[in-house]
């Protein structure tokens, strides 16, 4: 009888050890695949940039934003020069474009999350051509329940000036250097193939690049875009 009890205790002990080990060997924590980083170097009044945002970038973000890392760099083909304690910017499509760039740069910095600033920027890019940039931005901010005051203060002051200079540094650091906008990078890399695939089928490019389980929205769509070339 004593021997039987001892054997039962041994078996129960071994069973408890095996059960405790099961979560370690049988229930592993899934490792999430890295998000696909899409960076857009652009300027606020470039027709091709606006078209890319409206027809490719934002719709793709709406469909598969959960697997994307969005980077927006509003500077494009602008030029900057130092004047005292501030930077002065000259933009390809005039002063209104510089204002638009500053508004979007400040929105990115202040709102921080792409789920907040990308809808606002998409709205602005959809309307900026027909309005004063500040008025258009106010309307878009109101539409999404965003307080425009800190964004407006940023774009007209030293904060916005410094932030736009950072956008200039990012743009000028591109390798290879950009010679038109929209200029697109995939996970920090730019090639003609990446540019063309992103231009005509960004959703397909993101879906094909992502190494994790594909979202249901991974389906392809095509459209044509124009470009704004940099002056020699």
């Amino acid at each position: 009888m004593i021997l039987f009890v001892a054997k039962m205790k041994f078996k129960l002990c071994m069973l408890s050890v095996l059960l405790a080990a099961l979560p370690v060997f049988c229930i592993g924590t899934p490792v999430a695949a890295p998000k696909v980083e899409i960076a857009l170097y652009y300027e606020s009044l470039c027709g091709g940039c606006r078209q890319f945002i409206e027809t490719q970038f934002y719709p793709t973000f709406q469909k598969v934003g959960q697997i994307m890392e969005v980077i927006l760099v509003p500077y494009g083909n602008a030029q900057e020069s130092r004047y005292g304690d501030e930077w002065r910017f000259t933009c390809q499509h005039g002063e209104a474009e510089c204002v638009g760039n500053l508004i979007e740069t400040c929105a990115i910095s202040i709102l921080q999350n792409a789920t907040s600033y990308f809808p606002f920027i998409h709205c602005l890019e959809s309307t900026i051509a027909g309005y004063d940039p500040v008025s258009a931005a106010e309307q878009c901010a109101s539409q999404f329940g965003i307080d425009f005051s800190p964004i407006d203060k940023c774009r007209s002051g030293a904060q916005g000036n410094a932030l736009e200079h950072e956008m200039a540094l990012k743009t000028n650091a591109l390798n290879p250097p950009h010679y038109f906008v929209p200029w697109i990078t995939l996970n920090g890399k730019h090639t003609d193939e990446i540019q063309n695939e992103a231009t005509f089928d960004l959703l397909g490019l993101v879906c094909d690049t992502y190494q994790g389980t594909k979202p249901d929205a991974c389906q392809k769509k095509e459209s044509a875009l124009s470009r704004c070339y940099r002056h020699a």
Side-chain angles (χ1 to χ4, degrees):
M1 183 68 180
I2 295 174
L3 180 61
F4 174 77
V5 172
K7 286 182 178 180
M8 288 299 296
K9 286 183 177 180
F10 177 76
K11 289 180 179 179
L12 288 171
C13 179
M14 291 301 296
L15 181 61
S16 65
V17 170
L18 288 172
L19 289 173
L22 277 175
V24 176
F25 295 104
C26 301
I27 309 175
T29 302
V31 178
K35 291 185 177 183
V36 180
E37 180 193 280
I38 300 294
L40 173 64
Y41 296 80
Y42 71 108
E43 52 199 24
S44 63
L45 283 177
C46 166
C49 301
R50 294 172 54 241
Q51 188 180 4
F52 176 73
I53 290 172
E54 290 178 43
T55 65
Q56 290 288 331
F57 204 178
Y58 189 66
T60 298
F61 177 74
Q62 287 182 303
K63 292 175 183 176
V64 295
Q66 70 271 29
I67 64 170
M68 294 175 67
E69 186 72 32
V70 170
I71 297 177
L72 295 172
V73 186
Y75 183 78
N77 298 329
Q79 296 180 348
E80 67 172 0
S81 58
R82 188 77 176 181
Y83 189 84
D85 294 332
E86 66 177 16
W87 294 94
R88 291 190 176 178
F89 305 102
T90 303
C91 297
Q92 184 173 16
H93 299 96
E95 180 61 26
E97 181 168 78
C98 286
V99 174
N101 290 348
L102 279 162
I103 291 171
E104 294 181 9
T105 293
C106 287
I108 292 167
S109 176
I110 291 170
L111 300 177
Q112 297 186 343
N113 195 306
T115 57
S116 297
Y117 67 69
F118 204 1
F120 169 76
I121 288 176
H122 169 256
C123 174
L124 182 55
E125 287 298 313
S126 300
T127 57
I128 193 172
Y131 294 89
D132 166 69
V134 176
S135 298
E138 286 177 330
Q139 291 179 20
C140 289
S142 176
Q143 178 179 331
F144 291 102
I146 295 169
D147 182 4
F148 184 64
S149 299
I151 297 174
D152 192 36
K153 181 179 178 181
C154 168
R155 70 97 190 165
S156 60
Q159 181 186 9
N161 191 261
L163 288 170
E164 189 64 12
H165 172 59
E166 291 179 11
M167 295 300 187
L169 293 177
K170 289 180 182 178
T171 303
N172 293 334
L174 281 167
N175 185 21
H178 83 285
Y179 56 94
F180 60 80
V181 288
W183 188 265
I184 304 153
T185 66
L186 169 67
N187 292 331
K189 183 179 180 181
H190 177 93
T191 65
D192 289 343
E193 182 180 1
I194 288 171
Q195 180 74 32
N196 289 332
E197 287 191 38
T199 298
F200 297 110
D201 184 16
L202 181 63
L203 178 61
L205 177 62
V206 170
C207 290
D208 290 344
T209 303
Y210 186 61
Q211 298 301 304
T213 303
K214 313 288 186 184
D216 292 339
C218 279
Q219 52 189 330
K220 297 185 177 182
K221 179 181 178 180
E222 295 185 357
S223 65
L225 297 175
S226 61
R227 296 170 175 172
C228 294
Y229 280 85
R230 187 178 187 178
H231 295 308

